[in-house]
Each structure stands twice: as structure tokens, then as C-alpha cells.
Amino acid sequence: MTFTTKALLVLLTLSTAACTRPDRFGGGINDGTAGANNGANAGVNAPTGASDPSSPQFFAQTIGDRVLFEVDSATLTAAGQATLDGQAGWLQTNADYLAIVEGHADEQGTREYNLALGARRANTVREYLISKGVPSTRLRTISYGKERPIEVCSEEACYAKNRRAVTIISVGALS
Amino acid sequence: MLKLMKALGLALFLAAPVAAQDGPLRLTITDGVIEPLPFAVPGFQAETAGAEQLAADITRLVAQDLANTGLFREIPASAFISQPASFGAPVAYPDWRAINAQALIGGAVAVSGDQLVVKFRLYDVFAGTELGEGLQFAGTVQGWRRMAHKVADAAYSRITGEGGYFDSRVVFVSEAGPKDARQKRLAIMDYDGANLQFLTDSSAIVLAPRFSPRGDRVLYTSYESGFPRINVLDVANVGRQQLPTAEGEMAFSPRFSRDGNQVIYSLANGGNTDLYRTDLASGAHTRLTSAPSIETAPSFSPDGSRIVFESDRSGTQQLYIMSANGGDAQRISFGEGRYGTPVWSPRGDLIAFTKQNAGRFHIGVMRTDGSEERLLTASFLDEGPTWSPNGRVLMFMRETQGAGGTSTLYSVDISGRNLKAVPVQGAGSDPSWGPLQP
């Protein structure tokens, strides 16, 4: 039983540290929860605001950082393609930035399947951006499955917003 | 815990052979309606001064383990006509027959310092004989719940002829916070929710822990590195190690082989998810599927020769079985709706799964050829079954609907009876039921 007590003490210390973090979604991309909640606020803090067309805020708010998907689908809609055309243009103009594409699913589905589905969605976006001229070395993907919904109701209005792929702009090396 | 396990020796006590008898006490668990078997547990005798409370607690836990199965019904002490004079004294069978107790459990508890000894005897009241031999368990006072579970396992096993499952643990994901900011951490507890301990903090998402067959290690998916990766955690010292995964790949949905030496899991690369197998000692890995579809949630057959998994190669999520070396797969699910998270039963005869149909989720079982599908539960979201060590009970997660939705662990018999919430402190998901402890 001695070991148990020690382990609990260590974990308590760790969890205290986690609780005091001011913004659990505000970390860099090496943080497991980075950018997962809200693409508009995630990523880097650029020196200039949303009115600067070269800022990540402009990308998120004006270009549009996300595309939505139909139920159990990873096929881009026409609206999604239009958004991604804008993203590809922006990424080519602002060549210093890297991007990570997050794939998400709604809660109607099993955990593992939704992780795989999110991976499919993120990859669809990545492939589309590459086809429009964005170098593949600047794009990475991650799937959160159904782990990070932005809307919490259990209705289609919420599900539709959760079935998404969000392009998060970042600086520095992708690791 | 190690200390306890070493100390917890099982000794035969008073080796009296079971006499041949007519119609011995035996509860055969079938799928038909079962009338719970009435049993009586007079308070275990305290054989040393100061052991009274412990004796009472152990008696209660033994009774609770048995009654919670739904297969047994405890006769309240208020109905008792007499009390046993001492442990091992001749049993006044007529007094127990008169209140229709079919099984009588006798016990005694002795404490010496930190050491605890629990003795146990089981009687077949209507045959008027002892069922099996007396048993004695020795351990520490802190491990008293395990000793009570061992007594209940012995009683369950002698009456049903099947293995018990009470002295076992469950690893799961403990959850806190709202749906859009949920915190998850690995936790471990006894099968009945007692002795909860956390194994990780909640700084990164953790998913779907899976016990090793011996219960000494846990595989799980963690976002600690920023991307989904598989970790192996040593339960005894909470040390963890990441399975090597190439950059740009996502690894998840791991499960041990029955010998604990290999891991099967899903790897997503370029948006495509396939199954792989890695040998833990050598690190050698083998690709098992190569299809543009999603292949995930693999689970070994008990003999290690086959793997059941889910795939959407037909257009929707369905269950398939293939050789443990990959190759052709045979589809086994053909009902309406989608099927996922298949888990091979420890007996080898059944596959438990999650089914999604017409906006509802179910936990179900089917034979390994897909026949005799039986849905055991239905709710807004039931998911991820795990087998009790004896293959009689499934534990799973049930999530409630809407903005305030939370996850709770539930258990249900493979007959569909005895659905109940597992008394866990806080919300929980993704349970994995470990083996009977040594």
C-alpha cells in the first residue's frame, strides 16, 4: 500500500498544476488540447488583429477556418471547397505559417470509429489544400473524434457544427 | 498492494470430502427466467477481540456481492430462527430449511495486528451437507474487501459451477466537466467501485484503457504528445512508456494479446485507418489490413488465432473476423444498423458489441458466426462493452443526452437481466474489466 500513497501524492500535485493553468486551450501545438475548443482563438497570438489580412485572426474570422461535413461523411461540400480555396490562397500568400488540420465528429458514433472518421476528414482537407498548391510540409493533421465538441446539445443543429475540420494556423516547426 | 498479494495465500482448511448426495445445491445459469436462489449469511464470527466490526463489514460485502448478481437473494437476519453457535459447529439444518434458505454461508474473522484471517464454509441446506471444503484466506486488514470478495467468489463458483468475478478490478476513464471542456484521466477501482485510484492527471485527453490479461499493465490512448499515441502503463508503479509511432501517424484502439506480449491497434495514416500488430519485446510490427476503409477496434480470440474488428468496407460499420496474421476477413454482422467495438468473450463463444440503429445505441452479444444476436440494452448512447472475467457480465458506458450529458458505468448480465449502474464516484467511461486477482 506504500506505493499507492506515493502515487496519489504525485498525481495530486500534477492535477493541481493542471487546474491552475489559465487557459487549457491556449497552449502551443505541442499541448494535447491545443486549439481543440475554438479555432478562432487557438494557435498563436499574432502581433496584429483581425483587420490585418496576414494575421491568423483574419484567417480564422474572414477566410473561415473550418468546413462542415454531412453525417458519417468526409466528402467536401461545395461551400467547404470555397472556404478551402480561400484558405489555400491565404496560406500561399502567408508562406511563413504552418497549419494543422483538426478533424472532428459528432457524438453519434463509437469512440474509435469517430477517431478514424476525424482522421479521414482532416486528411480530406489537407489533400485539398495540397491540390491547390499548399506545400505538404506545411500541413499536419490530427483527429479528435468526438472528444472536442464545440456545441453541446444532442440535436442535429449542434451535430452539424461538430462534424468539422478546423485549420489552425501556427508558426514554428511542426513537431 | 504487492504486500497484500504475497500475503494472500489460499489454504485448504479441514479437508472434509463432499459426501455423495441427491440433488446437490447447484444453480445452473441459463437464459431462461431465473428465480434467485435464497441464501443466508449469519454474521461472521469474530474470533479475536476487536474483530467485530471487520467481521460485520466482511459479512455484508459477501452478501452484497452475491445479491448484486441477481442470481441470489439474501434472507434477512430478522427471519433467522437460530444462529450458529460457532464457526464449524454442527448446523441446525431444520432451522434453515424452515426459512427456505438453500445455501448457508458461515464464516469467522480473526485479527492479529495488521494480519487478518477469514474462514469460510458453505452448506447445502436441503441436502444437509457441507458444499466443498472449508477455506481460509490470510492477508492484511487493509485488504479486507478483497478477502470478502474471495469468499463470495468461492461461494458463487461452488453453487454455479462457474468462475467468480468479485475479486477483480476495472480500469476506466474518470470524467469531469461539461461536454465542451471535458477532463479525462485514467482511474482504477475494484469491480464494485471501491478503492478508486487515479493513474494519470487530466492534462491530456486519455481514451479507452485496456487491461493486460494478467492485470499488471494497461494500454491506453493519450494526447500527451499532442497527437494520439498508445501508452503502456505499469499498474504497480504507474510508470508509462509510449509505443513508437511515426510522425504524421495516429495510433489508437490498442488491445493486448492473451499472452500479453503483443498489441493490436489502429494506425491512421493519410486519413486511412488500418490494423497493425506490434510485438512488445522486439518492437517488430506487422500490418494486418490494407484497405481504403476504416479498420479499427480489434480484439483477439482467447486462443490468439483470430481477431474480431470493425470495418466500414461494406459502406457502413460492421463486424469482421480474420486470422491473427491478417488476410481475408469474414463479415459476421448482418442485422440492421451499424456495429462497432467488438470484444471476444473470455470463453470464446460470444462477441459483445455496440450497435447503433434508428438513433439508439445498444450493447449486444452474438455468436462468433454472427448468429443468435441479442441486444441487452437500449439508450441514447450505450457504448464499449467489456467482459467480466467469467464471461457472464458486461460492463459498459452509458451517456445521457443533451448539454448536461454525462457518462456512467453500467453492468448487465449476458442474458439482459440485472442492468445496474456501477457505484463509481463521479462520471466514468471506457471501462476495461481485469482478470480475477491471484
Side-chain angles (χ1 to χ4, degrees), chain A:
Chain A
M1 291 297 171
T2 329
F3 130 71
T4 304
T5 318
K6 270 187 206 152
L8 278 176
L9 281 174
V10 171
L11 289 171
L12 280 174
T13 315
L14 287 172
S15 60
T16 309
C19 289
T20 51
R21 214 151 46 124
D23 175 7
R24 56 192 294 265
F25 295 117
I29 61 165
N30 289 326
D31 182 318
T33 55
N37 188 36
N38 185 343
N41 296 328
V44 296
N45 296 314
T48 48
S51 57
D52 176 357
S54 67
S55 72
Q57 287 90 337
F58 183 88
F59 176 88
Q61 290 165 27
T62 309
I63 304 283
D65 63 353
R66 64 197 58 200
V67 297
L68 304 179
F69 296 89
E70 297 299 316
V71 176
D72 197 18
S73 165
T75 305
L76 292 170
T77 61
Q81 291 187 9
T83 301
L84 294 182
D85 288 340
Q87 288 189 7
W90 189 93
L91 283 164
Q92 282 171 299
T93 307
N94 299 281
D96 290 341
Y97 287 108
L98 306 172
I100 181 158
V101 184
E102 299 177 351
H104 299 267
D106 66 32
E107 69 186 359
Q108 313 170 90
T110 49
R111 199 175 310 291
E112 295 84 354
Y113 184 83
N114 278 342
L115 282 173
L117 180 59
R120 233 182 217 172
R121 286 174 175 158
N123 191 64
T124 302
V125 167
R126 180 175 186 270
E127 295 291 333
Y128 188 90
L129 293 174
I130 291 170
S131 78
K132 294 295 170 180
V134 180
S136 62
T137 49
R138 291 174 58 199
L139 297 167
R140 252 196 112 163
T141 58
I142 184 171
S143 173
Y144 286 95
K146 60 174 173 178
E147 302 307 312
R148 289 286 181 252
I150 46 169
E151 299 291 337
V152 293
C153 76
S154 295
E155 287 151 31
E156 176 52 25
C158 290
Y159 294 161
K161 291 181 184 164
N162 290 333
R163 291 189 300 265
R164 68 201 192 277
V166 184
T167 307
I168 309 286
I169 300 300
S170 87
V171 284
L174 284 177
S175 60

